[in-house]
Amino acid sequence: GESVGLHLPTLSVQEGDNSIINCAYSNSASDYFIWYKQESGKGPQFIIDIRSNMDKRQGQRVTVLLNKTVKHLSLQIAATQPGDSAVYFCAENSVNFGNEKLTFGTGTRLTIIP
Amino acid sequence: AAGVIQSPRHLIKEKRETATLKCYPIPRHDTVYWYQQGPGQDPQFLISFYEKMQSDKGSIPDRFSAQQFSDYHSELNMSSLELGDSALYFCASGRTGGYGYTFGSGTRLTVV
């Protein structure tokens, strides 16, 4: 079945350093991926997305890389700040008989050490 | 900018009671999704609606039902509540075609 998962459940990074969060997906037919940030007690917040016809996309301090050959996705956060501490989820958008569905992987808890 | 509105924010119910959660999507979004997130878990897809019709169903118990109304708001009805139903329930709305999804702040349901 479809699954999206993350390699590491926790990650601690020194403030100001760069962080990389990884994600593996299994549905090679998926064409759209999203990274979400979730703070405690809040809903998932959109960070950045990427379509399968791209292998890299950059935002403000964030970069998403997509390797379709090995079905791997990563989120790079540059110059981390205390406010970056949260749980990060990758999510895969799949289409089934024309209906779209977002499937989340296991989150990674990122802790920024002051 | 308008966001996805969920109500109530917190809800406490006893076992075997019924709960109704409401979701008001972003205007002009044609799809609504419901997710359940247990403590320390990733969000699990429950059900979705496209243009007020149920479009997909995930791991939603038979005790749960949902619908989307003519004004596009959606309600998740949960009956015969069990302790294991305690979770955060998120609603998200989006436009089909891969334009992303916006999540509400969620309803925290506690069953005692």
Side-chain angles (χ1 to χ4, degrees):
Chain A
E2 300 168 6
S3 67
V4 180
L6 293 174
H7 295 304
L8 298 173
T10 61
L11 178 64
S12 295
V13 175
Q14 204 74 35
E15 181 180 354
D17 287 352
N18 300 333
S19 67
I20 300 176
I21 300 172
N22 296 304
C23 175
Y25 65 94
S26 60
N27 187 352
S28 57
S30 293
D31 62 356
Y32 180 54
F33 303 88
I34 310 169
W35 280 99
Y36 285 96
K37 173 186 180 183
Q38 187 176 26
E39 296 174 287
S40 181
K42 297 184 179 180
Q45 178 186 0
F46 173 91
I47 301 174
I48 192 167
D49 58 3
I50 189 167
R51 296 189 183 278
S52 60
N53 61 353
M54 304 171 69
D55 53 21
K56 181 179 180 179
R57 190 158 189 236
Q58 288 183 293
Q60 186 177 16
R61 287 199 306 118
V62 295
T63 301
V64 55
L65 299 177
L66 175 63
N67 185 331
K68 292 181 288 296
T69 302
V70 295
K71 290 185 281 188
H72 182 268
L73 197 68
S74 68
L75 175 70
Q76 300 176 1
I77 304 175
T80 53
Q81 303 168 357
D84 294 331
S85 293
V87 177
Y88 290 82
F89 293 96
C90 68
E92 171 185 14
N93 188 58
S94 59
V95 180
N96 184 30
F97 296 103
N99 299 316
E100 296 185 358
K101 183 174 72 178
L102 196 66
T103 302
F104 284 83
T106 303
T108 291
R109 179 174 297 282
L110 176 65
T111 301
I112 306 303
I113 304 168
Chain B
V4 177
I5 307 297
Q6 289 188 248
S7 68
R9 287 283 282 128
H10 302 274
L11 189 59
I12 300 176
K13 290 286 187 178
E14 295 186 354
K15 281 172 51 179
R16 293 180 288 277
E17 284 193 318
T18 298
T20 297
L21 279 53
K22 297 184 179 182
C23 169
Y24 297 85
I26 292 174
R28 291 181 294 282
H29 278 190
D30 55 18
T31 311
V32 166
Y33 305 82
W34 284 97
Y35 285 83
Q36 177 191 56
Q37 186 177 30
Q41 304 294 316
D42 51 283
Q44 294 292 318
F45 172 72
L46 291 177
I47 195 167
S48 63
F49 293 88
Y50 170 70
E51 286 292 343
K52 295 166 281 185
M53 298 289 289
Q54 181 181 310
S55 55
D56 201 355
K57 206 170 181 180
S59 50
I60 183 170
D62 292 339
R63 301 177 288 108
F64 294 8
S65 64
Q67 57 182 325
Q68 188 175 26
F69 295 85
S70 58
D71 64 352
Y72 287 88
H73 94 272
S74 179
E75 294 184 4
L76 177 65
N77 298 294
M78 309 158 70
S79 62
S80 302
L81 287 170
E82 303 172 355
L83 296 178
D85 296 329
S86 295
L88 272 168
Y89 290 84
F90 291 105
C91 170
S93 73
R95 287 190 296 135
T96 52
Y99 294 99
Y101 306 76
T102 301
F103 281 80
S105 296
T107 294
R108 181 176 294 279
L109 172 66
T110 303
V111 181
V112 297

